[in-house]
Amino acid sequence: MPKLGLYIQLALRLKCAASHDSAQPSQELASLAALFFYTSCDSADSSWIYQLDGRVLGSALRDAQREACVESTENFDLIVIGCGPAGEKAGAQAAYFGKRVAVIERADHLGGSCINTGTVPSKTLRESALYFSGLKQRGLYGIDYSLKENLTVHDFMRHEREVVEMERQRILRNLELHKIELVRGQAALEDAHTVAVSGANGTRRLRGEVILISTGSKPHRPSEIAFDDVHTFDSDTFLQMDRIPKSLAVIGGGVIGCEYASIFIALGVEVTLVDGRDRLLPFLDGEISDRLRDRLTALGMRFLFNERPIKVENSSTGVRLSMKSGKTLETDAALFAAGRRAAVDGLALEKAGLSINDRGYIPVDDNYRTSIPNIYAAGDVIGFPALASTSMEQGRVAVCHGFGFKYKQRVASMLPMGIYTIPEISAAGETEESCKEKKIDYCVGRALYGNNARGHIIGDTAGMLKLIFARADRKLLGVSLIGESATELIHIGMMILDNGESIDEFIEQVFNYPTLSETYKYAAYDGLGNLAGHKLREG
């Protein structure tokens, strides 16, 4: 059988060169190779083929395929590692300008945590919670809806599954439309330009002029916490639970913790939120943070501030958390949402001269370039703000800089913060606290949903819009919102912020009536009243 290895390697090299991402099953590949042998061998040396054991041929094929595929190095203009929001948009941006792009993804599904475990699932669950609980209708009709006793997790998450699948398909179509090659497997850097991808069919070696790392982040799992993903979960495994608990402990008063806590309190679950700080979401304007706490308290949420668990015990009935103060808390389930870190396991960053910083993320400059000139990083893998919206823009800016495209030179100076708690929160620009810290002479204008016709129509009378503006020239400095449609309304204020205009612009404009948008006009009037030292009412 002297020519077996040669023929197999020749056939498989042809196959690898033709189409690495072919969906052809292995038996078709084997048939193709066998046909090559039969048609290529002369009668004098082909008799051995008839004596081959199928297992021997299969093993030889697999070995040769791995060897053949790993020997060749394919060239791309851009290699993207990780197909979350940053990676997808970066790849599409480069392909739009005619670059040859490969996107590497090791997970079964595209979209990263944004689509599969985080942003889209949690926001969809929020809408499901509002629907099943009837929370929106309580303000309208005074009816106290309660969660159906027979509601299962499968029922609750049905819409979430549908939305997630549609988003996965959208990403696949986007890659296909831009003729981006999708490579499945674990990426590992070999040097500043070379990436080895280990997949089901062996290893491929890709070489790229520019490399973008957009592998996202993963939950931090403290060693003292016994995660069993049955009673004790992190934010990535939380949606895998098989039942809706009657009681839930949420550890961490950040964005993820507050969102899930508010979703489950809306469903009638007994929720206790534990945080090591003395307030929720401390990066927000203090007045907005306090309003969120008041609303969640009104729904029945319990808070343990300046507290943290030091021991967790799982049992067949639930979770027992022992706190630093000596207190204990027993619940059906516990969600730990206390921090994330860059998902760089297996990337072999050191081989390209890269490392993570002391906060666990890849450091980059203003153009999202790492310490290695041709390697960029974007999205959650670089840390704050770790939002899907900003990650997409970071990816686009990174590749435009990497290839010198005269396009998308920067991420907008004003970034919106969207928090899908119940009630919704959104903010951009300065807060009262940041103005005081920077010694900015500022003034405030407020508009309450309770004084707005649309607020009464939709049953949200607890919402508020808050404007921060400069006392000297009335230039808008910051916008904060809490209430229905906050994450939509923020964009009106952002246009004024980004253009450096004053709150007078809100007064000049005509807003539809009745709408929540007209709260901008009345917040501006309120601000002028505060500036002048007299007004008729608050907000």
Side-chain angles (χ1 to χ4, degrees):
M1 313 188 331
K3 295 186 178 181
L4 173 62
L6 174 62
Y7 286 134
I8 290 176
Q9 287 195 42
L10 284 171
L12 287 170
R13 284 181 187 180
L14 287 171
K15 182 65 179 172
C16 287
S19 175
H20 276 285
D21 64 346
S22 173
Q24 284 184 304
S26 58
Q27 56 264 40
E28 184 175 345
L29 179 62
S31 299
L32 187 125
L35 179 62
F36 181 87
F37 307 150
Y38 285 119
T39 56
S40 300
C41 296
D42 56 41
S43 58
D45 66 359
S46 62
S47 60
W48 55 269
I49 295 175
Y50 297 96
Q51 303 168 20
L52 275 178
D53 183 284
R55 288 170 298 179
V56 174
L57 177 59
S59 176
L61 279 168
R62 285 191 296 272
D63 292 343
Q65 183 181 25
R66 281 194 292 270
E67 183 180 349
C69 289
V70 79
E71 282 182 2
S72 60
T73 300
E74 300 170 86
N75 293 313
F76 291 87
D77 299 307
L78 173 66
I79 297 173
V80 177
I81 306 175
C83 193
E88 179 203 351
K89 302 307 182 186
Q93 185 75 86
Y96 177 82
F97 284 102
K99 297 299 182 180
R100 188 184 183 208
V101 180
V103 170
I104 304 167
E105 179 55 65
R106 69 179 181 183
D108 293 335
H109 301 292
L110 305 182
S113 61
C114 171
I115 302 300
N116 298 292
T117 61
T119 305
V120 170
S122 64
K123 280 52 173 179
T124 309
L125 287 178
R126 179 185 184 275
E127 297 305 312
S128 298
L130 288 170
Y131 171 79
F132 281 114
S133 69
L135 188 62
K136 285 184 177 180
Q137 287 72 39
R138 293 181 199 179
L140 292 172
Y141 308 115
I143 301 173
D144 187 8
Y145 288 73
S146 58
L147 190 64
K148 299 173 184 177
E149 286 294 326
N150 61 347
L151 180 65
T152 66
V153 172
H154 190 270
D155 294 330
F156 182 44
M157 296 186 177
R158 178 179 176 180
H159 185 47
E160 178 265 340
R161 291 193 299 273
E162 292 173 346
V163 172
V164 166
E165 182 56 31
M166 285 189 287
E167 282 297 294
R168 289 170 178 168
Q169 294 303 316
R170 178 198 59 76
I171 295 170
L172 276 172
R173 288 195 301 271
N174 195 33
L175 297 185
E176 290 170 1
L177 284 169
H178 286 88
K179 296 179 172 57
I180 294 171
E181 183 167 354
L182 175 60
V183 182
R184 299 281 191 172
Q186 169 66 56
L189 293 165
E190 293 191 338
D191 55 47
H193 287 278
T194 310
V195 182
V197 185
S198 302
N201 294 320
T203 302
R204 289 179 65 181
R205 185 173 284 109
L206 313 180
R207 182 173 179 81
E209 178 186 344
V210 175
I211 294 175
L212 174 73
I213 300 172
S214 53
T215 48
S217 64
K218 62 182 183 180
H220 171 58
R221 285 197 167 201
S223 57
E224 68 272 17
I225 307 303
F227 291 93
D228 64 354
D229 297 327
V230 176
H231 299 291
T232 302
F233 304 87
D234 64 30
S235 56
D236 278 2
T237 61
F238 188 50
L239 299 185
Q240 298 172 12
M241 60 183 162
D242 60 2
R243 62 192 174 87
I244 296 175
K246 293 187 180 301
S247 58
L248 172 69
V250 176
I251 316 303
V255 173
I256 296 173
C258 285
E259 287 182 348
Y260 277 123
S262 68
I263 288 170
F264 281 84
I265 197 71
L267 288 170
V269 176
E270 295 178 9
V271 178
T272 302
L273 195 150
V274 182
D275 195 84
R277 298 162 295 190
D278 60 359
R279 56 179 284 199
L280 301 174
L281 305 170
F283 53 84
L284 291 176
D285 185 279
E287 189 175 3
I288 300 296
S289 176
D290 290 343
R291 278 190 170 246
L292 174 63
R293 178 178 176 179
D294 291 344
R295 294 300 298 147
L296 295 178
T297 299
L299 289 173
M301 191 177 296
R302 179 187 174 201
F303 296 95
L304 294 179
F305 287 112
N306 300 308
E307 190 66 278
R308 67 179 181 88
I310 57 173
K311 184 179 180 182
V312 175
E313 299 169 276
N314 296 298
S315 69
S316 59
T317 57
V319 186
R320 178 185 175 90
L321 299 100
S322 301
M323 301 297 173
K324 184 179 180 182
S325 65
K327 296 178 182 177
T328 59
L329 176 63
E330 296 186 12
T331 58
D332 285 352
L335 165 63
F336 278 79
R340 297 177 72 87
R341 63 185 181 86
V344 295
D345 299 343
L347 286 183
L349 296 178
E350 68 282 356
K351 290 188 178 181
L354 293 174
S355 61
I356 57 176
N357 58 24
D358 55 3
R359 298 178 63 186
Y361 297 102
I362 298 177
V364 294
D365 63 16
D366 291 342
N367 296 306
Y368 305 100
R369 181 166 53 182
T370 68
S371 58
I372 306 303
N374 71 294
I375 301 181
Y376 292 72
D380 288 16
V381 78
I382 67 173
F384 186 86
L387 299 169
S389 57
T390 54
S391 296
M392 294 175 189
E393 297 306 295
Q394 290 169 357
R396 291 177 174 122
V397 170
V399 297
C400 286
H401 184 270
F403 292 109
F405 300 147
K406 300 304 179 185
Y407 192 70
K408 201 69 185 177
Q409 299 296 302
R410 66 179 181 91
V411 175
S413 58
M414 288 295 169
L415 302 177
M417 179 71 68
I419 304 170
Y420 291 83
T421 43
I422 300 174
E424 250 174 71
I425 295 172
S426 198
E430 304 290 350
T431 63
E432 284 203 66
E433 289 75 15
S434 66
C435 284
K436 290 173 182 175
E437 184 179 336
K438 297 174 183 177
K439 294 181 170 51
I440 298 172
D441 191 11
Y442 72 95
C443 198
V444 175
R446 299 176 182 83
L448 306 177
Y449 283 25
N451 292 328
N452 177 273
R454 185 71 173 183
H456 284 282
I457 290 169
I458 64 175
D460 183 357
T461 56
M464 183 183 74
L465 165 66
K466 183 174 182 179
L467 304 179
I468 307 290
F469 61 97
R471 186 177 294 274
D473 57 5
R474 301 193 295 275
K475 179 180 176 181
L476 185 64
L477 301 174
V479 181
S480 294
L481 283 143
I482 181 168
E484 183 74 15
S485 300
T487 55
E488 299 284 352
L489 292 169
I490 191 65
H491 302 115
I492 298 173
M494 283 182 60
M495 296 300 103
I496 303 301
L497 279 168
D498 204 40
N499 290 322
E501 298 176 12
S502 76
I503 63 169
D504 297 313
E505 189 63 30
F506 297 128
I507 295 173
E508 294 296 326
Q509 295 302 319
V510 176
F511 295 90
N512 279 328
Y513 175 88
T515 62
L516 294 174
S517 298
E518 65 172 348
T519 52
Y520 275 101
K521 183 186 290 284
Y522 292 99
Y525 276 129
D526 183 73
L528 293 179
N530 288 330
L531 194 62
H534 64 83
K535 59 182 183 177
L536 298 177
R537 70 179 185 191
E538 182 69 29

